[in-house]
Each structure stands twice: as C-alpha cells, then as structure tokens.
Amino acid sequence: MKVLVIGGGAREHALCRSLSLDPDVTSLHCAPGNAGIAEVAELHAVDALDGAAVAALAARLEADLVVVGPEAPLVAGVADAVRAAGIDCFGPSREAAALEGSKAFAKDVMAAAGVPTARSYVCTDPEEADEALDAFGAPYVVKDDGLAAGKGVVVTDDLTAAREHAAACERVVIEEFLDGPEVSLFAITDGTTVVPLQPAQDFKRALDGDEGPNTGGMGAYSPLPWADPELVSEVLEHVLQPTVDELRKRGTPFSGLLYAGLAITSRGMRVIEFNARFGDPETQVVLARLRTPLAGVLSAAARGTLADIEPLRWSGDAAVTVVVASHNYPGTPRTGDPIEGLDAVATEDAPHAYVLHAGTAQDGDRVLSAGGRVLSVTATGTDLTQARERVYTAVGRIGLDGGQHRTDIAAKAAADA
C-alpha cells in the first residue's frame, strides 16, 4: 500500500512512524512534513488547504490511501477532493468536519442525538454574550465557534477577560463550566461502524499545576489507571455511536477519526467538544500503545469495511508524551533556534523513548525550531512511573535555547496508580 499523509506536526510524525512500521506499507509520503518525518517518509511540497493540489499529488504518487492529519484541510474539503479523484481518503467530508469547524453545529448534532454535554448559548453580539455570562456565572467558559488551533477557548473567573474573548470572536458558544477530570477518546469510523481506541488525558495549560494560558497541549499519557473500566463502552454507547448515526441520518456521514473531549463530572460524563481528526499530543501516546498495524485500519475506514476488521490489539505498557515548546509559546513563538541532543536520545534512549517533531525545519545538518510546539518526546514503560522516568530522561538531553516544558505530565496519575 502506498500512503500519503497530509500535515507537518507531531501528530503527523506519530502517524508516519506507525505507518512506517506497518509491513503492508510499501511506500510512505508526507506533505509538507517536517525534519523528523523526513527520516521515515518522502516529503513533498503542497498547500495542505488546496484540495485540488493534494488530489493531484496523490494521483501523481499513485497513492492507495491519503490520510489527512490537521483540522483545517478537512474543514476546507480536502478529503472530498481526494475522494472525487477516485483515491481512498481517511478523513471526513467538509460537511461532516463541521462537527469541529463549528461549535454551534456540534451542539445541534449532540442535542438531536441525545448526547450529554454542557448547557450552552450561541451568541453573535455583546448583549447576547453578557446575558449568557450572567446566566452561567463564573467560572466562565467562552469558545470561539470556529477553528482556533486548540486555543479558542477561555476558561476564567475574570468577567472582563471573558467579555474580551467573546468580543474578539465573530460568533461564540458560552456554556456552563464542567467540573471533574478530562478524557480524550478517539474512535475510527466509516460512517456506520465505530471502533474506539484507548483513552488518553492531555494537559492544556502551559505551566505546571495547570497554571498559565491555554495551549494546543503540553503533554499526554495513556492508559488512565483512575478511569472506570467501563468508560470506553459507555462513551461508545452514549456519545460516539449516536453522533455517527445522527450525521448519517442527516446525509452527511462521518468517516475518519472522531475525537470526543470529555469531562467526567459529578453528574456523569459530558462532552466538552468534538474534533474531526487525531488530537495532538494524545495521538502520540495512543499510537505508541497500538499493536494492530495502522494502515489496514485506516484503509478499512476509508473503504467502509470497518466491520470486517479484527479487534484492535493493544500493548499493556503505558506511554507518556512531553511537549518541548519554544520561547514565549503560546504567545508569538521565537523560531530559528538550533535543537541539540536529538542524536543522543536516538542513541541512548531508543527504543523506549523517541522524539516526534512538531515545529522543526532542516538547515543543512542542523535542525531548527520552526513553531510554537517544537517536539513531542514520547516514552513507553511497564507503568506510568517508568514511562515518566524515561521520557524526562530523554527530555533532559534536548537543548533548545528558551525552550520550555511541563515537569508534571502524568505525575498525579502515576502517584495514584
């Protein structure tokens, strides 16, 4: 199977790494990719938002399967263009991807499907926003209706900050605050059959102790030793399958990766948000534990034959990912700084720990920072404690001027296990 992956972050590096280990994958390509992905796939220049360009590249490469990683190309309809060219594509249509592209659309689908979620208001002007903020009270939860690269949500006790975020967005969803721990659960679906993956937990705040501003994610771990053993089946029954069924009923079947962000509240499970693609950095730990070869599963979803695959096989090991971010992230990041220590991790820590590139660029023999989240250092171990020890040993070998990372990823879960 010849596979083309679209995207250039750590999520795509994780996907490419898993696909490169799949014996059925005879040729692996990525566009545009990054310095790390170049080690496992052939890179190509392409505008990831240009469906015609992506479809033309896939045709030229004679790709059997295209995997669209990021949300923006999906919302732009890139998967539709690839399928129109007669090539299998893993990723939802433009219409189905609105589940992530519009928080208001997602709320409408959840209401119709009977999916438990936070009470909310959709607001289009300051007066409506003020009424909604007053109705729910603090802490205030204000979400940009559209795509915002994981940083469109403000949770704050400061009414002024909540109003300012609402005013900066064309349309916002203001909702009740959900207490309790958060869980990310991915599912692969062909629009009818839904195959859940293993749950993970990510860390959105920039600083230790869940302090600081929201980010795209500073780390993740899997499995969740504290979670109810029935969690996955409960989410499948009450969230994932009803959502997929509702979208199919509407004539916009969802085929690809459906990501449910959940809060385990004192009143039960609630959906915080849906995403239409693999999440970053949770993908890094989930795929680290997946033993079933990936290409066949993604291909079955694209072809509508997911009901025919064998049950997924998982490692009993734990996995932890720690994001190394650039100076000033999540503000305007400083880029162009050389990254040291990558060879040391490959030499000293493999195979239990490895580096996935997010925002990097190749400059001759040097690898430079080229984004806010620069690296996802990932490690596995017999339990979370060992995985944490291995990942932080590897992180300690990385040199990036002004680089930052959290030191408490999975610490509480490991201590409580």
Side-chain angles (χ1 to χ4, degrees), residues 320 379 383-395:
V320 177
D383 56 20
L384 286 174
T385 297
Q386 187 180 52
R388 271 179 49 79
E389 289 170 356
R390 287 172 169 172
V391 79
Y392 279 110
T393 296
V395 168

Side-chain angles (χ1 to χ4, degrees), residues 233-244:
S233 58
E234 184 185 348
V235 176
L236 177 62
E237 179 182 353
H238 297 291
V239 175
L240 299 169
Q241 192 71 56
T243 300
V244 169

Side-chain angles (χ1 to χ4, degrees), residues 93-417:
S93 67
R94 180 204 305 264
E95 287 184 309
L99 202 62
E100 176 169 5
S102 168
K103 304 286 191 300
F105 175 73
K107 287 290 188 183
D108 183 64
V109 170
M110 282 188 270
V115 170
T117 186
R119 293 177 299 125
S120 63
Y121 295 101
V122 179
C123 307
T124 55
D125 60 48
E127 291 74 25
E128 290 179 353
D130 281 346
E131 287 180 21
L133 292 168
D134 185 56
F136 288 130
Y140 305 103
V141 181
V142 185
K143 299 181 175 182
D144 190 335
D145 179 55
L147 293 180
K151 291 176 279 189
V153 179
V154 165
V155 181
T156 178
D157 289 316
D158 185 337
L159 180 58
T160 301
R163 282 174 166 159
E164 286 175 354
H165 185 60
C169 304
E170 195 171 318
R171 183 161 78 152
V172 294
V173 173
I174 294 174
E175 62 184 39
E176 66 176 328
F177 176 76
L178 297 175
D179 64 333
E182 296 184 10
V183 174
S184 300
L185 185 62
F186 303 161
I188 292 172
T189 178
D190 58 10
T192 302
T193 301
V194 181
V195 177
L197 305 186
Q198 288 290 300
Q201 185 174 56
D202 77 331
F203 295 76
K204 288 291 187 198
R205 299 285 185 171
L207 307 175
D208 284 5
D210 290 328
E211 299 290 333
N214 252 2
T215 71
M218 294 299 290
Y221 69 94
S222 179
L224 313 182
W226 50 267
D228 187 326
E230 299 301 314
L231 175 66
V232 173
S233 58
E234 184 185 348
V235 176
L236 177 62
E237 179 182 353
H238 297 291
V239 175
L240 299 169
Q241 192 71 56
T243 300
V244 169
D245 292 345
E246 173 63 24
L247 287 166
R248 190 175 66 253
K249 276 188 237 167
R250 292 179 178 219
T252 56
F254 188 106
S255 170
L257 195 290
L258 179 57
Y259 164 145
L262 308 160
I264 312 302
T265 79
S266 54
R267 293 171 293 132
M269 175 188 60
R270 297 287 186 275
V271 175
I272 301 169
E273 64 175 354
F274 282 125
N275 290 334
R277 40 72 195 180
F278 281 100
D280 183 343
E282 300 98 318
T283 300
Q284 289 85 301
V285 292
V286 173
L287 291 185
R289 300 185 58 227
L290 180 64
R291 288 292 167 263
T292 300
L294 184 61
V297 182
L298 303 186
S299 179
R303 291 173 173 231
T305 59
L306 209 50
D308 300 334
I309 70 167
E310 296 289 319
L312 299 183
R313 291 179 286 108
W314 295 93
S315 163
D317 285 354
V320 177
T321 283
V322 175
V323 170
V324 177
S326 57
H327 176 74
N328 201 44
Y329 180 77
T332 303
R334 191 176 79 203
T335 59
D337 289 311
I339 302 166
E340 310 290 344
L342 297 175
D343 289 342
V345 174
T347 303
E348 302 293 332
D349 302 306
H352 301 297
Y354 49 89
V355 178
L356 298 169
H357 292 232
T360 65
Q362 194 81 38
D363 177 35
D365 293 335
R366 301 189 307 165
V367 177
L368 306 180
S369 64
R373 292 187 295 173
V374 180
L375 305 169
S376 282
V377 184
T378 303
T380 56
T382 54
D383 56 20
L384 286 174
T385 297
Q386 187 180 52
R388 271 179 49 79
E389 289 170 356
R390 287 172 169 172
V391 79
Y392 279 110
T393 296
V395 168
R397 301 189 202 278
I398 303 293
L400 174 64
D401 187 36
Q404 54 175 314
H405 66 272
R406 283 184 57 161
T407 65
D408 63 345
I409 304 300
K412 185 175 187 306
D416 294 347

